[in-house]
């Protein structure tokens, strides 16, 4: 039998990502349990880069390098 999922298991944090080429993606979801600390250059960046690798692997279109990551305002 599996354990009951808590609210923190389902919690997401949202981020806006700006790439070096000027492309922007908004409301990128990162599971809060995947984050080691509130660290934009560490665990948040690693989670978003992993998502980018997965997306580019499926689509065949590579993503550029990340310029900045900011929390989505108002969420």
């Amino acid at each position: 039998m599996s354990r009951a999922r808590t609210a923190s298991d389902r919690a997401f944090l949202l981020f806006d990502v700006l790439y070096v080429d000027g492309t922007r993606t908004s409301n990128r979801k990162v599971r809060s349990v995947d984050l080691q600390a509130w660290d934009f250059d560490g665990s948040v960046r690693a989670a978003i880069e992993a998502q980018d690798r997965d997306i580019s692997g499926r689509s065949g279109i590579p993503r550029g390098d990340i310029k900045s990551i900011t929390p989505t305002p108002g969420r």
Side-chain angles (χ1 to χ4, degrees):
M1 188 175 342
S2 65
R3 68 177 179 88
R5 295 184 67 166
T6 63
S8 64
D9 289 341
R10 296 183 298 265
F12 288 93
L13 298 174
L14 300 175
F15 296 92
D16 293 340
V17 182
L18 180 64
Y19 294 90
V20 174
D21 63 0
T23 308
R24 177 184 171 149
T25 58
S26 299
N27 298 327
R28 293 287 298 268
K29 287 183 179 181
V30 177
R31 291 183 337 160
S32 60
V33 296
D34 291 341
L35 304 179
Q36 301 301 320
W38 189 252
D39 177 18
F40 295 119
D41 290 326
S43 57
V44 173
R45 182 176 291 269
I48 290 176
E49 287 175 343
Q51 290 175 1
D52 284 348
R53 282 191 300 275
D54 184 48
I55 292 167
S56 65
R58 292 172 190 251
S59 69
I61 302 170
R63 280 298 232 189
D65 293 331
I66 295 173
K67 183 176 182 179
S68 67
I69 301 170
T70 57
T72 299
R75 296 268 177 155

